[in-house]
Amino acid sequence: MRYSPLTLLPFCMLALSETAFAQLTESPVSKSPSPDKLETVVVTGTRTERELRDVPVRTEVISRVELETIHARNLVEALRYHPGVHLNKIHGKSGYEIAMQGVGADRVLILIDGRPVSPSTGSTVDLSQLSVSEIDHIEVVKGAASALYGSSAMGGVVNIITRNPEPGLSYSTTVDVGSWGDKNLGGSEAAARHIALSGDYKGDAWYTSLSYDLRDSDGFDLDPDTYTTTGDEGGKWNLDLELGYQFDDGTRLSYKPARYEEDLSRLTGEFLPGTGVIKKTKTEVVEKQTHSLNFDKTFASESALSVYFVTEKLDDQTALDVNATGDVVEGQRHATLNFDKFELQFNQPIGERQILTTGLVLFNNELEQTREGRSETLPQLNHENIEAFVQHDIFIGEHWELLPGIRFQDDSDFGAHTAAKVNAMYFNDTWFDSSEVRIRMGIGQGYRVPDLKERGYIFDHSSIGYIVLGSEVDQWQDEQAGNIDLSGAGVLAPEESLSYQLGLEIIGAGGSRLDISLYRNEISNLIDSLLYEGDEVSALTYSVYRYTNIAEARTQGLDISYSASLLSGLDGDVSYSYLDAIDDNTGLKLTSRPDHQIQAGLAWSLPDDRTSLTLRAKWQSEEYVDADNDIESPAWHSLDLKFNFQYSTRLKLFAGIDNLTDEHQDPAAADQDHRPEEGRFLYVGLQFKNN
C-alpha cells in the first residue's frame, strides 16, 4: 500500500462542492470564546463525571481548541507540549511511546473513551497510530492507578475522549502538506501529506459519526551521504464509525467498529569487512480491527449502569530484506495480538454526599508469532483474568472530599492480588483574595503482571547486532550455531509499586492558574532487558538480551506549571519538571529519563479575533543511554511556531514550522542520541467546517 498526493484529490473535491464553495465566501465573524477548561467534564480520575476543577484526583486536560491550535495530527503531536510527559522513540520500531513520572510506557495505560488500546509490540502502545480527528479532549492522570484501572496503569492513564455528535448534520475536512526541505526523500516538495474527514448526524433517537484520517510521507533523511534513511516512507490511516440509539429515558446503546493500517519502509545497511555495505530494506505492515459494544443507562434514583465489550485483533508483519537476493524476502516475522474485554460499572449515590462505584472486569489476551516458518521455537502465549473494584466517594463538611478504593485481580498465570488507594482533596475559595485553592493528596498501590512481550516475544535484530527474547523463550535457532538451549531463566514476577502524590492548585480571579505537584514512586521487581551472558551464546556474533526482574527502583520529582493572560489578546504559560529516577540496587540513574524539562508558550490573538500566532519552546536535559551511566544523550531544545487565520465562519487557513532551529539527533550515533529524529518541518493547510 503506497499513497501519493493524488490520494487527496477526490476528498478535496468533495470538500469544495458547489454548496461548500459558496459557504467559503461568507463574511468572517468573530470566533466564540472557548469554554473554560476548568468546567470541562472529566471521568478518568474517579470513573464518574466531574468538572475538572472539582475532581479529587489530579487530572490534566488537553482541549480540542488546543489540539486545533497546534495542528496535532496524532497523539504524539497532541502530547508533545504537555508538562511532565516524555515521548520516546520505540526501540527498533517506527513509532513513539510515553513515560510519566519516570515510569515507562509499558506501565502507562492508553484508553479511548475508557476502552483499552492494544499495544503494537505486545506491551507498548505506539502513539503515532492514534489520530486526533475525533477527539473532544484528552485526560491525563499521573501516578499509580491500578486500583481503578488494573495491571497496565501502574504509571498512570491517558484517556482519549471522543466527541459526541451534535443535533443535525455536521462535517469537516482538514488537509495539510509539509516538507523537511533538503532532507526530503522522493521528488516532491510536499513530502508529508495529511487529510482528515469526519461527519456526524444526530436525529431524535439515532446518531452516527464517521471519520477517516490519513498520514502519508515520502520519508526524510538526516544524512543523504549514506545509504541508510531516517524517516519511514509510507502511510498510516484510521477509519472509525459509531452507530448509536438513544431511548426516550436517556439510555444509550452504541456500536463502534474501527480499523487502522500502516505500511512503512526505510532503507538500512549492514557493513561487513571485506564486503562493504549490505543494502537492506526494512518494512512493517500493521492491521488492527476493533469492535466495541456499549450500553449506558441512568436510573430515576440517579444511579448509573455502564457496560461495554471490546474485542481487538492486531497483526504486525515485519521484514529485513536483503536487496541483492531479488524476490527472496529475509527476516520475516509475524505477530498477532488478540484481546477481549468485558467491563461493567455501577454508580450508586448514597444520600447527597456519597457515591459508591463498583465494577467487574473479564479480560483475555493472547499472542501468536512466527519467524521465517520456524514457529515451533516460539511460545504461543495467552492469559486471562477477572477483576472487581470498589470506590467510595465521600464529601466531608464544606472543604474535604475523601476517595478510597480497592481492586481485586485474579490472573490465570500469577494468581490473586489486591491494589488499594486513597485520595483526598481540600478546597477553599476564600484564600488569596478570593482565589480558589485545592490541595490534592493520594497514596496508591501499583501492580503489573508481566505482559506477553516480556514473557514470550522475540525481537530479532541479529542482522544488526542484537536480539531481545522474552523470559519464557527456551529455544533459539541460529543459522550458524543451530538450536540453542536458553531454558532455565525462570518465570518473571509481577511488578509492584507504592505511589505518593501531593498537589497544590491555585486558580486566580483573573483566570491565572498555578499547579505544583510532588510525587514519589517506589517500584519493586522492575522488569527490564539485560544482556544474557551464558555459555550457550558466547560463540554468537550478536548480543542476546532477555527480560528479567532486575531491581528495586524509585522515581521522584516535581512538576510546576503556571498560565495567565498577560495582556489583551496575549496568553502565556511556563512549566518545569524535575525527575530523579534511581536503580536502588546500584544507585545509578535509570536510562532514558532526563532530570530536567522546561516548556514555555505564548499565544497571541490579533484584535480582529481572526488571526493567531502561537510559539512553543522546549528544553530537555541530558539523559543516560546505558545502565552503567557511561553514555549520555545530549541536552536539546526545540522551537515551534503556529499560525491560524479564520478566513470565514467555515474556512480556516493554517501553517507552522516545527523544530525551527533544526535540532536533531546525529544519525551516525542514533542509538546513543535521543534528541528528536525529525529536523525542521514546514507545513501549510486548511480546515473546512460546515458549522
Side-chain angles (χ1 to χ4, degrees):
M1 178 172 55
R2 286 290 180 266
Y3 307 95
S4 74
L6 294 178
T7 311
L8 309 181
L9 183 59
F11 302 113
C12 295
M13 294 175 64
L14 175 63
L16 298 177
S17 62
E18 182 177 354
T19 302
F21 182 78
Q23 294 172 332
L24 296 184
T25 60
E26 290 185 8
S27 300
V29 297
S30 298
K31 295 177 291 183
S32 59
S34 59
D36 186 349
K37 181 190 288 188
L38 295 172
E39 297 176 359
T40 301
V41 175
V42 297
V43 297
T44 308
T46 62
R47 299 187 69 115
T48 57
E49 293 187 349
R50 300 285 298 276
E51 283 192 1
L52 176 61
R53 68 197 321 139
D54 294 328
V55 67
V57 179
R58 183 171 180 258
T59 303
E60 302 163 10
V61 166
I62 305 171
S63 70
R64 179 72 192 177
V65 172
E66 292 174 271
L67 295 176
E68 293 190 348
T69 299
I70 64 174
H71 318 138
R73 303 168 186 85
N74 56 44
L75 193 56
V76 178
E77 298 180 359
L79 294 169
R80 178 181 292 166
Y81 309 109
H82 197 68
V85 164
H86 299 284
L87 301 175
N88 302 313
K89 190 77 174 170
I90 300 177
H91 191 65
K93 306 284 284 187
S94 64
Y96 285 82
E97 61 188 16
I98 184 175
M100 299 192 301
Q101 296 189 347
V103 181
D106 295 356
R107 304 154 187 90
V108 176
L109 180 63
I110 308 297
L111 304 172
I112 298 178
D113 291 327
R115 285 54 166 164
V117 177
S118 64
S120 59
T121 62
S123 63
T124 299
V125 174
D126 177 3
L127 304 182
S128 69
Q129 294 182 353
L130 303 175
S131 74
V132 300
S133 58
E134 281 297 288
I135 291 180
D136 179 80
H137 65 275
I138 301 170
E139 301 176 11
V140 179
V141 173
K142 299 172 182 174
S146 298
L148 272 188
Y149 289 98
S151 176
S152 299
M154 197 172 83
V157 179
V158 176
N159 193 3
I160 299 167
I161 308 299
T162 60
R163 294 183 294 128
N164 288 322
E166 297 292 335
L169 176 65
S170 62
Y171 53 87
S172 69
T173 302
T174 302
V175 178
D176 58 83
V177 295
S179 172
W180 292 277
D182 58 2
K183 300 179 182 67
N184 284 346
L185 291 174
S188 173
E189 283 300 316
R193 302 161 292 273
H194 169 240
I195 181 167
L197 305 170
S198 64
D200 303 328
Y201 175 75
K202 184 175 182 181
D204 294 334
W206 289 97
Y207 61 92
T208 184
S209 65
L210 177 67
S211 68
Y212 171 78
D213 192 291
L214 168 66
R215 288 90 68 200
D216 174 39
S217 173
D218 294 336
F220 61 91
D221 191 7
L222 296 179
D223 186 359
D225 294 331
T226 63
Y227 175 77
T228 300
T229 57
T230 310
D232 292 304
E233 175 193 1
K236 303 182 178 185
W237 62 265
N238 303 79
L239 181 64
D240 297 271
L241 172 67
E242 179 178 11
L243 298 171
Y245 186 86
Q246 182 167 318
F247 296 86
D248 292 339
D249 63 357
T251 301
R252 297 178 67 174
L253 180 66
S254 65
Y255 167 59
K256 299 181 180 181
R259 183 172 180 85
Y260 168 80
E261 289 190 14
E262 75 176 43
D263 188 351
L264 305 175
S265 68
R266 72 167 66 182
L267 303 180
T268 185
E270 177 186 6
F271 179 79
L272 294 180
T275 302
V277 176
I278 305 298
K279 297 180 179 180
K280 301 181 180 182
T281 301
K282 179 184 176 183
T283 62
E284 182 164 14
V285 177
V286 177
E287 297 182 0
K288 180 167 65 175
Q289 299 182 62
T290 308
H291 299 272
S292 175
L293 188 62
N294 313 275
F295 173 83
D296 298 281
K297 180 176 179 60
T298 300
F299 299 91
S301 61
E302 296 188 359
S303 58
L305 174 67
S306 176
V307 182
Y308 77 80
F309 172 76
V310 60
T311 180
E312 188 161 287
K313 178 179 180 180
L314 183 143
D315 283 298
D316 188 353
Q317 301 182 60
T318 61
L320 195 60
D321 184 24
V322 178
N323 297 358
T325 59
D327 295 335
V328 179
V329 179
E330 296 83 7
Q332 296 184 76
R333 292 178 293 148
H334 181 203
T336 301
L337 183 70
N338 297 279
F339 82 79
D340 304 300
K341 185 175 184 180
F342 169 85
E343 182 167 310
L344 178 150
Q345 178 178 319
F346 186 71
N347 301 325
Q348 176 62 59
I350 302 174
E352 295 183 355
R353 302 182 63 82
Q354 299 183 55
I355 303 173
L356 184 67
T357 299
T358 57
L360 175 68
V361 178
L362 304 175
F363 181 76
N364 178 69
N365 190 21
E366 61 182 26
L367 172 67
E368 300 177 1
Q369 53 185 329
T370 59
R371 183 177 67 93
E372 293 185 344
R374 292 182 282 184
S375 60
E376 70 278 1
T377 67
L378 309 182
Q380 311 303 308
L381 299 175
N382 71 283
H383 90 278
E384 56 189 32
N385 60 45
I386 181 171
E387 306 171 28
F389 60 89
V390 179
Q391 177 182 262
H392 194 182
D393 196 351
I394 309 168
F395 294 87
I396 303 173
E398 296 182 0
H399 301 291
W400 284 94
E401 182 176 357
L402 188 65
L403 190 71
I406 191 169
R407 190 183 196 95
F408 170 81
Q409 174 175 324
D410 185 16
D411 189 277
S412 59
D413 296 318
F414 297 94
H417 187 272
T418 57
K421 61 99 176 181
V422 60
N423 294 88
M425 181 175 72
Y426 174 83
F427 46 94
N428 195 310
D429 59 4
T430 61
W431 291 1
F432 305 119
D433 297 326
S434 299
S435 295
E436 297 181 28
V437 176
R438 283 160 174 75
I439 300 174
R440 297 179 174 92
M441 58 204 81
I443 179 172
Q445 293 175 307
Y447 179 73
R448 187 180 79 95
V449 300
D451 56 52
L452 298 184
K453 172 188 175 183
E454 293 162 339
R455 294 172 57 192
Y457 194 70
I458 292 179
F459 194 77
D460 181 6
H461 269 195
S462 54
S463 61
I464 56 175
Y466 73 96
I467 62 172
V468 184
L469 302 177
S471 65
E472 298 177 25
V473 178
D474 293 333
Q475 303 291 324
W476 173 253
Q477 288 183 329
D478 179 79
E479 294 181 1
Q480 303 298 324
N483 193 39
I484 301 173
D485 184 4
L486 296 173
S487 58
V491 177
L492 291 172
E495 297 177 334
E496 298 186 47
S497 72
L498 193 59
S499 178
Y500 304 89
Q501 309 287 325
L502 177 63
L504 169 67
E505 180 185 41
I506 302 175
I507 305 168
S512 62
R513 184 168 179 260
L514 173 66
D515 197 341
I516 303 174
S517 176
L518 298 167
Y519 62 86
R520 180 181 173 94
N521 299 289
E522 300 172 353
I523 308 171
S524 60
N525 294 325
L526 183 67
I527 298 172
D528 204 349
S529 57
L530 290 184
L531 184 66
Y532 185 82
E533 299 179 316
D535 294 337
E536 301 88 351
V537 300
S538 59
L540 298 179
T541 59
Y542 49 84
S543 300
V544 177
Y545 293 83
R546 302 199 70 175
Y547 285 101
T548 184
N549 296 107
I550 63 167
E552 308 290 315
R554 71 177 186 274
T555 71
Q556 56 191 9
L558 165 72
D559 291 332
I560 303 176
S561 62
Y562 178 74
S563 61
S565 179
L566 305 177
L567 298 169
S568 177
L570 181 64
D571 297 326
D573 65 82
V574 63
S575 68
Y576 168 72
S577 297
Y578 169 71
L579 170 64
D580 179 39
I582 299 294
D583 182 334
D584 282 337
N585 288 2
T586 65
L588 299 175
K589 294 275 189 178
L590 297 177
T591 62
S592 302
R593 292 165 172 88
D595 288 351
H596 308 281
Q597 185 187 88
I598 300 174
Q599 296 194 75
L602 288 173
W604 180 38
S605 297
L606 271 62
D608 62 9
D609 204 26
R610 297 168 56 197
T611 308
S612 67
L613 288 171
T614 301
L615 184 67
R616 301 294 316 182
K618 181 175 183 177
W619 176 84
Q620 185 169 296
S621 65
E622 299 87 352
E623 58 188 70
Y624 285 108
V625 174
D626 64 320
D628 294 329
N629 290 181
D630 293 327
I631 304 172
E632 271 190 329
S633 176
W636 59 271
H637 67 275
S638 66
L639 190 65
D640 297 348
L641 180 64
K642 312 290 183 177
F643 168 80
N644 294 280
F645 175 65
Q646 195 71 36
Y647 175 77
S648 70
T649 56
R650 293 173 170 84
L651 180 65
K652 182 180 79 170
L653 308 177
F654 61 88
I657 305 176
D658 292 339
N659 197 358
L660 184 63
T661 58
D662 202 24
E663 173 92 358
H664 58 74
Q665 68 179 201
D666 178 3
D671 288 341
Q672 300 178 8
D673 190 341
H674 293 176
R675 288 179 294 174
E677 189 179 64
E678 295 188 32
R680 183 185 299 113
F681 181 68
L682 172 68
Y683 63 90
V684 295
L686 61 86
Q687 182 183 73
F688 171 77
K689 294 183 177 181
N690 76 318
N691 60 7

